[in-house]
Amino acid sequence: MPALNVEFSDRELEDLRQIAKERGTSMKALVREAAAADIARHRALQEGAEAFRRFFASHADEFAAAFPEDEPHPRSEGRVA
């Protein structure tokens, strides 16, 4: 299995040792669990964002009607900024 060396400050390492001891687990298991939880959270956020984009796209006309002030304004041709 591939591995990753991770550096921690002395304080972080001591905190990890203490947390692992309190939880009755190894530091390696603690760090792996934290990384796996963050990966799962990231995937869930990505999936949620994609679901929102699909929902918004399928209801774009309804959103435009409900919030016309948020619609982009077309640029006038020949206008100088």
Side-chain angles (χ1 to χ4, degrees):
M1 177 183 288
L4 174 68
N5 291 326
V6 180
E7 295 181 13
F8 295 98
S9 70
D10 290 339
R11 174 62 193 257
E12 291 168 333
L13 200 54
E14 185 55 40
D15 288 346
L16 284 171
R17 279 191 188 104
Q18 183 62 36
I19 294 167
K21 182 179 178 182
E22 289 171 6
R23 294 184 184 178
T25 189
S26 69
M27 289 175 45
K28 184 177 179 179
L30 180 70
V31 171
R32 187 176 187 301
E33 180 182 309
D38 196 53
I39 290 167
R41 179 181 166 274
H42 179 76
R43 286 178 181 158
L45 288 172
Q46 296 287 62
E47 290 170 8
E50 183 56 34
F52 175 78
R53 281 191 285 274
R54 284 193 310 268
F55 177 83
F56 188 82
S58 67
H59 297 281
D61 292 339
E62 296 166 60
F63 280 107
F67 306 102
E69 66 278 3
D70 291 338
E71 287 299 297
H73 298 289
R75 292 186 178 176
S76 300
E77 289 188 35
R79 197 169 166 209
V80 177

